C-alpha cells in the first residue's frame, strides 16, 4: 500500500503542513513533535523521495566534487573515476565546475553544504591569488575535505595526487641520458604547487647529472593548447633540444606550432607531455608523456574521504601515486 503525507500527518496527530516541514528538513517544529512525525514516517515506510529517506537516516549519501574544468579530458576522466568509486561506497556525486575561478569554487562548496554533502573533494584552481575562506568554513563545519591532483598551499587537508615531481624528474633524466642538453619546460604559474613541483623535478635531474640549465628555460605558460602554441612561438629562435609540457594539451599546442614552422619532431626538437590522455598515443606522432594513474588517484581519493567520514579525524597528509614514463615517437 502506498501512503501519502496526509497518512503520516494523521498517524502523528499533526497537520499536513507540520509534517511537510519535518520531512523537508525545515525548522520551526518542536523536538517532540518532530520525533513523532519521523516515527510515523518510519512506521509507514513513507519514502516519497531521497530527501525523506535521508532525513530519517541523518545522511545524504552525497559527496561533492569541484573540478576546475571539463575541457581538459584529464578532469573529465578523473570525475568519471571518482563517481565510479563513490558509487561502490554507496555515495552519489554532485559535481561543480570552478572554471579556475575561486569565486565559482566557493559557490560550488556553498551548494554542497546546502545539499548536506557528507564530504567534499576539490581539484584546486591554478590561480595564485586566492582566498580560501570557503574551505576554512567547510572544515569548521566538520565537513571532510580532500584535495585531489594537487593542493592549495596554506590550508591543512588530506591530498591525493600523482608524484608530479618524480614524474618530471624521470622525464628530464631520460632526455638528458639520450643527449638532450637544452630542455625547456612549459609549466604554469611557478607559485602553484602543480607547477613548482614539476620545476623541482626538472632541477633535480640536471643537478644529479652535473649539468647546467638556465632559469629562462622554465617557462610560465597557460596550461592548455593555445598556451603551448603561443609559448613555443616565442622560443623557436632559441632552438632547444627538447620541450616538455605541464600536460598533454599543452604538448599538443607545442607540436602544432612546430609543425606550422616546419620544425621536425623529434629530429629537430623532442617534445613530451604529462598525463597520458587517452588519445596521446593516437596522434599522428604518438606523444611521449608521463602517465598519471587516474583510476588509482580517484580510488585513493574516495578511500581517504570515506575514512574521514566514517572514523575519527587523523592528522592530514599527502598521498602520492607513482607516475609512469611512457616513451613514444616524439622524443629521440
Amino acid at each position: 500500500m502506498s501512503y501519502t503525507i496526509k497518512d503520516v500527518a494523521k498517524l502523528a496527530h499533526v497537520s499536513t503542513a507540520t509534517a511537510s516541514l519535518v520531512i523537508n528538513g525545515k525548522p520551526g517544529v518542536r523536538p517532540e513533535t518532530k520525533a513523532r512525525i519521523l516515527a510515523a514516517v518510519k512506521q509507514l515506510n513513507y519514502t516519497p523521495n531521497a530527501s525523506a529517506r535521508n532525513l530519517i537516516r541523518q545522511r545524504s549519501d552525497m559527496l561533492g566534487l569541484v573540478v576546475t574544468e571539463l575541457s581538459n579530458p584529464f578532469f573529465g576522466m578523473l570525475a568519471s573515476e571518482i563517481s565510479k568509486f563513490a558509487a561502490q561506497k554507496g555515495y552519489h556525486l554532485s559535481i561543480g565546475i570552478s572554471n579556475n575561478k575561486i569565486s565559482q569554487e566557493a559557490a560550488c562548496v556553498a551548494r554542497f553544504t546546502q545539499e548536506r554533502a557528507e564530504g567534499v573533494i576539490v581539484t584546486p584552481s591554478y590561480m595564485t591569488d586566492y582566498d580560501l575562506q570557503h574551505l576554512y568554513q567547510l572544515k569548521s563545519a566538520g565537513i571532510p575535505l580532500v584535495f585531489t591532483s594537487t593542493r592549495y598551499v596554506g590550508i591543512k587537508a588530506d591530498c591525493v595526487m600523482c608524484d608530479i615531481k618524480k614524474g618530471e624528474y624521470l622525464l628530464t633524466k631520460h632526455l638528458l641520458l639520450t643527449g638532450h642538453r637544452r630542455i625547456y619546460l612549459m609549466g604554469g604559474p611557478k607559485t602553484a604547487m602543480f607547477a613548482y613541483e614539476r620545476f623541482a623535478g626538472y632541477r633535480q635531474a640536471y643537478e644529479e647529472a652535473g649539468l647546467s640549465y638556465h632559469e629562462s628555460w622554465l617557462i610560465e605558460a597557460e596550461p592548455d593548447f593555445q598556451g603551448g602554441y603561443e609559448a613555443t612561438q616565442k622560443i623557436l629562435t632559441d632552438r632547444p633540444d627538447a620541450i616538455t609540457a605541464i600536460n598533454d594539451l599543452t604538448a599538443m599546442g607545442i607540436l602544432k606550432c612546430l609543425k606550422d614552422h616546419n620544425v621536425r619532431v623529434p629530429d629537430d626538437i623532442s617534445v613530451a607531455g604529462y598525463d597520458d590522455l587517452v588519445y596521446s598515443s593516437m596522434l599522428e606522432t604518438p606523444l611521449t608523456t608521463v602517465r598519471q594513474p587516474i583510476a588509482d588517484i580517484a580510488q585513493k581519493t574516495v578511500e581517504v574521504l570515506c575514512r574521514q567520514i566514517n572514523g575519527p579525524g587523523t592528522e592530514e597528509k599527502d598521498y602520492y601515486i607513482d607516475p609512469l614514463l611512457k616513451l613514444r615517437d616524439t622524443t629521440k
Side-chain angles (χ1 to χ4, degrees), residues 142-297:
I143 300 175
L145 167 67
V146 175
F147 293 121
T148 191
S149 77
T150 186
R151 63 151 53 255
Y152 285 124
V153 177
I155 183 169
K156 287 187 176 181
D158 286 324
C159 175
V160 180
M161 60 185 291
C162 179
D163 191 339
I164 51 181
K165 176 182 176 181
K166 180 178 180 180
E168 195 63 45
Y169 164 78
L170 292 173
L171 175 58
T172 306
K173 180 179 179 179
H174 169 77
L175 291 172
L176 291 172
L177 287 173
T178 51
H180 302 80
R181 292 296 179 264
R182 295 171 55 84
I183 304 170
Y184 282 49
L185 169 56
M186 292 188 181
K190 291 183 179 179
T191 54
M193 182 183 183
F194 68 85
Y196 70 66
E197 286 288 307
R198 286 176 170 85
F199 291 134
Y202 171 100
R203 292 186 181 101
Q204 181 183 348
Y206 264 97
E207 289 164 3
E208 286 187 4
L211 298 170
S212 61
Y213 63 91
H214 293 284
E215 284 294 326
S216 62
W217 298 353
L218 304 179
I219 300 169
E220 291 185 295
E222 287 295 314
D224 54 28
F225 181 94
Q226 192 62 30
Y229 191 101
E230 292 175 356
T232 302
Q233 282 184 308
K234 296 175 182 178
I235 64 168
L236 278 176
T237 56
D238 295 348
R239 285 296 177 179
D241 297 329
I243 307 174
T244 66
I246 195 166
N247 58 39
D248 288 351
L249 283 182
T250 305
M252 291 173 195
I254 295 168
L255 289 171
K256 181 64 167 64
C257 182
L258 295 177
K259 184 175 182 180
D260 288 350
H261 290 82
N262 299 313
V263 178
R264 298 171 302 167
V265 175
D267 295 350
D268 299 325
I269 299 178
S270 291
V271 176
Y274 210 112
D275 288 344
D276 195 25
L277 299 178
V278 65
Y279 46 72
S280 298
S281 62
M282 306 175 191
L283 299 175
E284 180 181 358
T285 306
L287 179 67
T288 288
T289 187
V290 178
R291 173 177 293 173
Q292 294 203 57
I294 293 176
D296 293 343
I297 294 170

Side-chain angles (χ1 to χ4, degrees), residues 19-223:
S20 178
L21 284 175
V22 172
I23 289 172
N24 287 288
K26 303 296 184 181
V29 180
R30 290 181 298 177
E32 60 271 22
T33 304
K34 179 179 179 181
R36 212 165 57 242
I37 294 168
L38 292 178
V41 168
K42 188 172 184 179
Q43 181 178 332
L44 298 176
N45 195 29
Y46 174 67
T47 54
N49 52 45
S51 177
R53 290 195 301 271
N54 291 331
L55 180 63
I56 297 169
R57 297 168 57 243
Q58 296 298 303
R59 293 190 59 177
S60 69
D61 291 336
M62 187 270 279
L63 304 179
L65 169 65
V66 182
V67 292
T68 54
E69 57 183 329
L70 292 179
S71 57
N72 183 337
F74 174 85
F75 294 107
M77 294 164 64
L78 181 64
S80 177
E81 291 292 329
I82 288 175
S83 177
K84 180 180 75 175
F85 289 113
Q88 291 177 6
K89 296 287 189 179
Y91 294 96
H92 66 275
L93 199 64
S94 180
I95 299 177
I97 304 172
S98 70
N99 293 306
N100 277 306
K101 292 182 171 59
I102 294 296
S103 60
Q104 292 186 30
E105 178 182 291
C108 293
V109 170
R111 173 167 62 83
F112 296 153
T113 302
Q114 292 171 354
E115 292 173 351
R116 299 173 56 239
E118 295 189 41
V120 173
I121 300 166
V122 173
T123 63
S125 161
Y126 63 76
M127 298 294 102
T128 56
D129 183 18
Y130 48 73
D131 178 1
L132 301 180
Q133 187 61 34
H134 59 292
L135 298 182
Y136 286 113
Q137 290 173 350
L138 188 74
K139 288 172 65 68
S140 296
I143 300 175
L145 167 67
V146 175
F147 293 121
T148 191
S149 77
T150 186
R151 63 151 53 255
Y152 285 124
V153 177
I155 183 169
K156 287 187 176 181
D158 286 324
C159 175
V160 180
M161 60 185 291
C162 179
D163 191 339
I164 51 181
K165 176 182 176 181
K166 180 178 180 180
E168 195 63 45
Y169 164 78
L170 292 173
L171 175 58
T172 306
K173 180 179 179 179
H174 169 77
L175 291 172
L176 291 172
L177 287 173
T178 51
H180 302 80
R181 292 296 179 264
R182 295 171 55 84
I183 304 170
Y184 282 49
L185 169 56
M186 292 188 181
K190 291 183 179 179
T191 54
M193 182 183 183
F194 68 85
Y196 70 66
E197 286 288 307
R198 286 176 170 85
F199 291 134
Y202 171 100
R203 292 186 181 101
Q204 181 183 348
Y206 264 97
E207 289 164 3
E208 286 187 4
L211 298 170
S212 61
Y213 63 91
H214 293 284
E215 284 294 326
S216 62
W217 298 353
L218 304 179
I219 300 169
E220 291 185 295
E222 287 295 314

